[in-house]
Amino acid sequence: MSLNAYEDASSTQLPLSEVKTVAAAPSWKIKLLYDGECPLCLREVNFLAKRDAGRRLVAFVDIAKDDYDPKANGGVDFAAAMGRIHAVLADGTVIKNVEVFRRVYEILEMGWIYAATKWPVIGPIVDRLYDFWADRRLALTGRPHLAAIAAERQQRLECQTQGRCQLAHDDV
């Protein structure tokens, strides 16, 4: 018999069928998917990160990074995330467009800034303005079309996974 009763109790192992995995709730309330290569997007993210002030209420995920994983981000693929702003709530719900801004600002206690976008007359106007902006964001920030960005990213990812790259005929 052991001198330490605690040691006896803690060394007991449960059968695997009785062990249950408990998923820990995320520490963030919203995960904001943003384009880290968009200068205007970065300006907004930097502003929001300062407002978050280390509280980690908002998790910022740069979709432009090669390690962006749609599975870890509500299933939002690269092209969808580049086309419109998306966020994932702590319960896994995916939201997009102006609703993302409303939620982030509310979480950061600045909801008054987007409060008027909930009004029946103002909301649809703001939604249309956002659609206009999102459709032209890449061109307005001096970047190529989404198809070109996606193709370049795909080629880069394939190069990394294959461990070798081939030069395009134009590069020779």
Side-chain angles (χ1 to χ4, degrees), residues 62-113:
D62 184 351
I63 62 169
K65 290 191 173 185
D66 287 346
D67 64 354
Y68 173 73
D69 181 8
K71 291 180 208 145
N73 296 291
V76 179
D77 66 36
F78 176 74
M82 284 291 289
R84 296 283 187 272
I85 193 162
H86 287 71
V88 181
L89 303 178
D91 68 1
T93 303
V94 175
I95 59 174
K96 64 182 183 175
N97 300 333
V98 177
E99 183 64 19
V100 171
F101 296 106
R102 278 189 212 110
R103 296 286 187 101
V104 170
Y105 277 71
E106 286 170 3
I107 288 167
L108 295 177
E109 300 168 358
M110 300 182 300
W112 58 271
I113 294 173

Side-chain angles (χ1 to χ4, degrees), residues 16-39:
L16 193 55
S17 62
E18 293 182 33
V19 176
K20 296 190 188 233
T21 304
V22 178
S27 60
W28 46 265
K29 291 187 177 187
I30 192 166
K31 188 189 293 186
L32 178 66
L33 311 182
Y34 73 95
D35 177 4
E37 294 184 4
C38 168

Side-chain angles (χ1 to χ4, degrees), residues 79-161:
M82 284 291 289
R84 296 283 187 272
I85 193 162
H86 287 71
V88 181
L89 303 178
D91 68 1
T93 303
V94 175
I95 59 174
K96 64 182 183 175
N97 300 333
V98 177
E99 183 64 19
V100 171
F101 296 106
R102 278 189 212 110
R103 296 286 187 101
V104 170
Y105 277 71
E106 286 170 3
I107 288 167
L108 295 177
E109 300 168 358
M110 300 182 300
W112 58 271
I113 294 173
Y114 278 90
T117 65
K118 295 179 184 179
W119 300 347
V121 174
I122 304 292
I125 293 170
V126 172
D127 289 341
R128 284 191 198 102
L129 288 172
Y130 176 77
D131 287 343
F132 181 83
W133 156 252
D135 289 342
R136 292 157 182 80
R137 175 181 71 88
L138 294 171
L140 291 171
T141 57
R143 298 178 59 208
H145 291 284
L146 177 55
I149 293 172
E152 180 185 310
R153 179 178 193 272
Q154 186 62 35
Q155 183 179 17
R156 194 172 54 250
L157 293 176
E158 287 172 3
C159 177
Q160 290 173 0
T161 58

